[in-house]
Amino acid sequence: MTACLEIKKCFNFDDSVLTHSPVTYRHDVFKVSFVFPNKDKYDGECTRTPDGVLERNGNGVHTTPNGITYKGNWKNDKMNGLGRLEHPSGAVYEGEFKDNMFHGTGTYTFPNGAKYIGNFNENKLEGEGEFKDTQGLEWSGTFHYTAAPGLKLKLDM
């Protein structure tokens, strides 16, 4: 199998360059278009590790042949920071990621149109949130993975 890689080199200079410090540090940022052996594709920024390996760091788009797309921030070759993950089923998560997981505040839209807006902890609904069901009813309360005891129906009066 072969992998294709196109690289454009950019430079980011830290504050020491701007203040004319006698020490200059340069962090090379590369714009790449890379096709993995499994046909996944990444277009975006990456940096070189101390071992010389390129890894995704910065902003980029990763797509799979079966239609999954992630657009957002990368750190240490993982989805980290803000991003949007779309699945061909229609499921969409938009929000915070940590180490390739939904983690922090986000919105998950289910394939049937139902939607959860709130907190996530390692891919699980966790903490305060709101759920809008397929009938358009809105519920709020505390979620704990698949359980949400004491949800309250929001009524417009």
Side-chain angles (χ1 to χ4, degrees):
M1 288 189 208
T2 56
C4 301
L5 175 65
E6 179 185 316
I7 298 176
K8 294 179 184 173
K9 192 171 184 179
C10 307
F11 299 102
N12 280 345
F13 293 95
D14 65 15
D15 291 337
S16 63
V17 173
L18 299 175
T19 59
H20 303 293
S21 168
V23 178
T24 300
Y25 298 98
R26 185 178 78 204
H27 304 284
D28 294 345
V29 176
F30 300 92
K31 298 277 188 185
V32 300
S33 182
F34 185 81
V35 178
F36 295 87
N38 68 354
K39 305 292 186 222
D40 281 12
K41 184 177 181 185
Y42 176 74
D43 291 300
E45 299 171 332
C46 66
T47 58
R48 196 173 297 281
T49 67
D51 297 334
V53 176
L54 289 176
E55 68 179 15
R56 292 169 288 190
N57 279 300
N59 197 28
V61 178
H62 185 109
T63 55
T64 67
N66 61 352
I68 297 171
T69 302
Y70 172 76
K71 297 176 186 175
N73 294 321
W74 295 84
K75 183 178 178 187
N76 300 326
D77 215 34
K78 294 182 179 177
M79 296 179 289
N80 275 295
L82 294 176
R84 179 180 173 95
L85 183 66
E86 299 176 4
H87 192 272
S89 68
V92 176
Y93 173 78
E94 189 163 9
E96 296 175 284
F97 288 81
K98 181 180 177 187
D99 296 333
N100 288 338
M101 292 184 281
F102 309 157
H103 194 83
T105 306
T107 300
Y108 186 89
T109 304
F110 295 85
N112 66 3
K115 185 183 289 192
Y116 169 79
I117 301 168
N119 295 310
F120 291 81
N121 184 6
E122 298 181 348
N123 285 342
K124 298 179 182 116
L125 291 76
E126 187 69 45
E128 292 299 311
E130 295 181 356
F131 181 80
K132 185 173 184 178
D133 65 24
T134 57
Q135 315 297 354
L137 298 174
E138 295 183 26
W139 304 82
S140 65
T142 302
F143 292 77
H144 182 66
Y145 189 38
T146 57
L151 279 184
K152 296 179 180 140
L153 177 63
K154 293 170 110 181
L155 296 175
D156 291 327
M157 300 178 117

